[in-house]
Amino acid sequence: PEYDGLLEERLAFYAGVNTANVLVTNGSDQAIRIIGRSVLNPDKRAIVPRPSFAMLRLVAEETGAEIIEPFYDAESMAFPTQEVIESINDETGLITICSPNNPTGTVTSLEDIATIAEAAPRAIILVDEAYYDFSKVTAVGLIEKFPNIVVTRTFSKAFGIPALRIGYMIGNEDLVAQIAKLIGPYD
């Protein structure tokens, strides 16, 4: 089915971006999956901090990529920014950040997200904001400066309608257009 674009328009307004920056998906799981599949393969590296949303690691496993799993700080549950940066190499294709994190509830600072995006300009920085509506802290404002940042969100949490499987991603217009090519005609 063809979308009429109204949902993308409303989501773009809600997120404060242009319609071309938004792609509607079957839940945020599909967005995460197609982002991972677009940049990972057995020759690539995925940095997936732990503990976090299981789907982030699953996508890396599906592609056969090498998975690096720095741990959140045991006491503060802070995002392992320095360990992530130290793990970046030429094969790094994807770095995942869940903010607020599931299960810790901690928010990764926008400064840390920007620092990671700058340190890995050839990798996609996937910021899963499934719980954005509870924290109101978003990396969406960083996508203009860092075209390698992509944000995923879902209607399952704050909107309470998981059975409808509505998710979306927000990113650089060119990146969104390329990733959209991976969505099937009947999704």
Side-chain angles (χ1 to χ4, degrees):
E2 304 247 347
Y3 297 118
D4 66 6
L6 182 59
L7 183 55
E8 286 92 345
E9 288 175 21
R10 302 239 173 135
L11 289 170
F13 178 78
Y14 176 70
V17 296
N18 295 320
T19 304
N21 298 109
V22 176
L23 178 65
V24 173
T25 57
N26 286 335
S28 61
D29 287 1
Q30 183 188 36
I32 292 166
R33 182 168 268 136
I34 61 176
I35 291 164
R37 287 182 178 171
S38 72
V39 296
L40 294 177
N41 62 52
D43 297 326
K44 290 292 187 176
R45 170 181 280 191
I47 302 173
V48 185
R50 290 178 49 179
S52 198
F53 180 43
M55 183 59 133
L56 300 171
R57 187 178 201 291
L58 177 66
V59 167
E61 286 176 350
E62 289 175 347
T63 65
E66 176 188 11
I67 301 170
I68 306 299
E69 298 178 292
F71 283 88
Y72 277 71
D73 183 79
E75 290 183 28
S76 69
M77 288 292 127
F79 185 83
T81 303
Q82 192 57 42
E83 291 87 344
V84 167
I85 291 171
E86 290 169 4
S87 299
I88 296 169
N89 67 16
D90 290 340
E91 287 75 42
T92 302
L94 181 69
I95 300 170
T96 65
I97 301 170
C98 192
S99 185
N101 187 37
N102 170 9
T104 66
T106 53
V107 175
T108 304
S109 75
L110 297 179
E111 294 81 14
D112 283 354
I113 294 170
T115 299
I116 292 166
E118 195 166 47
R122 297 184 335 186
I124 295 297
I125 314 305
L126 190 161
V127 184
D128 179 18
E129 292 186 355
Y131 294 94
Y132 155 75
D133 294 288
F134 300 103
S135 73
K136 297 297 186 192
V137 176
T138 181
V140 169
L142 298 174
I143 65 173
E144 281 188 42
K145 183 173 182 183
F146 300 102
N148 58 329
I149 292 177
V150 62
V151 173
T152 59
R153 292 185 182 166
T154 179
F155 279 46
S156 296
K157 310 302 184 226
F159 297 103
I161 47 176
L164 291 183
R165 304 303 309 142
I166 302 172
Y168 60 105
M169 59 176 279
I170 305 165
N172 171 278
E173 183 176 325
D174 294 331
L175 180 63
V176 169
Q178 291 302 314
I179 291 174
K181 294 176 182 177
L182 296 174
I183 293 182
Y186 305 113
D187 288 354

